């Protein structure tokens, strides 16, 4: 059985330790929800699994079917079957979606995919996501709305057919209809391929559609509670404060934005 195993993972960003000994095992066919207050390390975990060079693994291991993921380059990780649907997808002007995806598919197989087969698959992915048919010819994410970028991540997932897909707040920026379309596409893809899923989201509604089999809460660089879908409901109704009370672990607070001072121009002088 295909298995992604993360053990005692420590990850630093710019010399600051963000993940502090994280354990997580995902098997094929499972859907794991990953929640936790903002700024506590969810995206850092996904970036470290995918091999983003800004994130330095200082301790611990990540294996995919016993193979050392940390020893692989990013493209090797992708070829091994890992996929990351990003929280903030990048725009690539000058490269069309179809060129991008055809190159990615060809990089992972010996014989290039036939144009006919590629077009059929691309059309099917685009129609699954209910996107406009000119998507294939547009530059990757260039000028896309927030929701279109997120759907385009799922188009990529459908085309690349990963064994383990990680979706980072893929629901943000989606309206209610799009949420349903994306969820259906993800579930259908999983049914066909039995891939494992790690889904980061804050919203119970998205999870209602995706029906995770497992749920975890990440606080201050560690998974402090794991369980089933009941955890999602608890977070939805009670937030995260109970974790501090029950587990004695306090969440990292995201730095609050300082209010912009308007200085003297905004001061109304008395007459
Ligand atoms: N590329 C980066 N450069 C600097 N700091 C980062 C970077 N990525 C993440 N961090 C910091 O790491 C911490 C965890 O961030 P992140 O993993 O994005 O949290 P989450 O996804 O749970 O909201 C935050 O303090 C964030 O500022
Ligand atoms: Mg994040």
């Amino acid at each position: 059985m295909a298995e992604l195993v993360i053990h005692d993972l420590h990850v630093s960003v710019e010399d600051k330790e963000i993940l502090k000994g994280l354990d997580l095992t995902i098997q094929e066919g499972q859907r794991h929800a990953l929640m936790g207050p903002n700024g506590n390390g969810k995206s850092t975990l996904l970036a470290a699994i995918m091999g983003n060079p800004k994130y330095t693994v200082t301790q611990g291991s990540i294996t995919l079917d016993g193979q050392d993921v940390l020893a692989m380059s990013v493209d090797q990780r992708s070829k091994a079957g890992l996929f990351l649907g990003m929280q903030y997808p990048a725009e690539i002007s000058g490269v069309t979606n179809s060129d991008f995806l055809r190159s990615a598919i060809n990089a992972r197989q010996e014989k290039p995919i036939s144009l006919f087969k590629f077009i059929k698959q691309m059309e099917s992915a685009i129609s699954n996501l209910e996107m406009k048919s000119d998507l294939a010819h547009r530059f990757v994410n260039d000028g896309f709305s927030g929701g279109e970028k997120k759907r385009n991540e799922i188009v990529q997932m459908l085309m690349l057919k990963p064994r383990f897909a990680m979706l980072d707040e893929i629901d943000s920026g989606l309206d209610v209809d799009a949420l349903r379309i994306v969820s259906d596409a993800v579930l259908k893809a999983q049914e066909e391929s039995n891939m494992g899923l790690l889904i980061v989201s804050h919203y119970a509604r998205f999870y209602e559609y995706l029906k995770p089999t497992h749920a975890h809460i990440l606080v201050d660089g560690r998974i402090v509670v794991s369980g089933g879908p009941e955890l999602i409901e608890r977070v939805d109704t009670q937030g995260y404060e109970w974790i501090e009370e029950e587990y004695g672990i306090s969440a990292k607070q995201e730095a609050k934005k300082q209010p912009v001072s308007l200085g003297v121009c905004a001061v109304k002088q008395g007459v």
Side-chain angles (χ1 to χ4, degrees):
M1 172 163 301
E3 199 175 47
L4 179 67
V5 181
I6 296 145
H7 177 62
D8 189 32
L9 191 70
H10 292 248
V11 175
S12 295
V13 186
E14 293 176 351
D15 292 330
K16 200 169 123 213
E17 185 167 68
I18 308 294
L19 298 186
K20 305 172 179 176
L22 185 141
D23 294 291
L24 178 66
T25 296
I26 304 175
Q27 292 178 338
E28 64 181 15
Q30 296 180 340
R31 291 184 293 279
H32 289 243
L34 180 65
M35 295 176 291
N38 281 331
N40 278 251
K42 301 181 297 294
S43 297
T44 299
L45 171 64
L46 273 45
I49 297 172
M50 206 64 227
N52 184 325
K54 276 193 191 153
Y55 299 77
T56 312
V57 175
T58 55
Q59 196 178 315
S61 64
I62 304 175
T63 59
L64 179 61
D65 296 340
Q67 277 186 299
D68 183 4
V69 170
L70 295 176
M72 300 177 194
S73 60
V74 177
D75 66 304
Q76 285 170 337
R77 294 181 199 207
S78 169
K79 287 174 195 162
L82 296 173
F83 175 86
L84 172 60
M86 301 208 194
Q87 186 170 5
Y88 305 109
E91 297 180 5
I92 317 176
S93 296
V95 179
T96 63
N97 259 314
S98 62
D99 282 346
F100 176 71
L101 281 167
R102 202 140 71 98
S103 307
I105 289 171
N106 285 340
R108 61 188 63 218
Q109 55 190 44
E110 275 181 13
K111 255 180 74 186
I113 184 169
S114 81
L115 193 57
F116 178 73
K117 195 170 162 194
F118 175 78
I119 291 172
K120 250 180 73 181
Q121 285 184 12
M122 184 103 198
E123 279 175 354
S124 149
I126 291 171
S127 96
N128 270 342
L129 270 301
E130 298 188 22
M131 297 187 81
K132 292 195 199 98
S133 54
D134 68 352
L135 181 88
H137 312 294
R138 291 179 64 185
F139 295 151
V140 179
N141 292 327
D142 189 17
F144 286 28
S145 70
E148 282 177 325
K149 284 183 183 169
K150 295 305 180 76
R151 288 196 215 197
N152 201 27
E153 294 292 283
I154 302 300
V155 167
Q156 290 171 14
M157 187 190 84
L158 297 186
M159 298 294 289
L160 297 177
K161 301 185 176 55
R163 294 165 63 214
F164 283 91
M166 306 177 276
L167 305 179
D168 198 355
E169 299 201 23
I170 211 78
D171 54 333
S172 70
L174 297 181
D175 60 36
V176 207
D177 293 333
L179 199 65
R180 170 57 106 181
I181 291 163
V182 163
S183 312
D184 284 350
V186 171
L187 284 178
K188 192 168 156 223
Q190 192 192 32
E191 221 166 79
E192 283 163 13
S193 70
N194 204 31
M195 67 180 163
L197 280 164
L198 179 57
I199 307 149
V200 175
S201 168
H202 290 292
Y203 299 107
R205 177 153 205 163
F206 190 45
Y207 289 134
E208 267 168 37
Y209 290 140
L210 285 177
K211 298 200 181 354
T213 52
H214 300 68
H216 313 274
I217 301 176
L218 194 166
V219 181
D220 194 16
R222 288 188 194 94
I223 287 176
V224 290
V225 199
S226 290
E230 75 286 345
L231 260 185
I232 298 168
E233 204 182 316
R234 184 154 190 204
V235 169
D236 191 43
T237 53
Q238 299 177 25
Y240 294 112
E241 269 175 21
W242 56 276
I243 292 182
E244 185 161 354
E245 284 153 29
E246 287 182 24
Y247 294 87
I249 294 165
S250 45
K252 282 192 87 82
Q253 299 293 320
E254 266 200 324
K256 294 224 165 51
K257 286 206 178 86
Q258 294 298 318
V260 179
S261 163
L262 294 179
V264 286
C265 337
V267 178
K268 195 173 174 199
Q269 301 289 333
V271 224

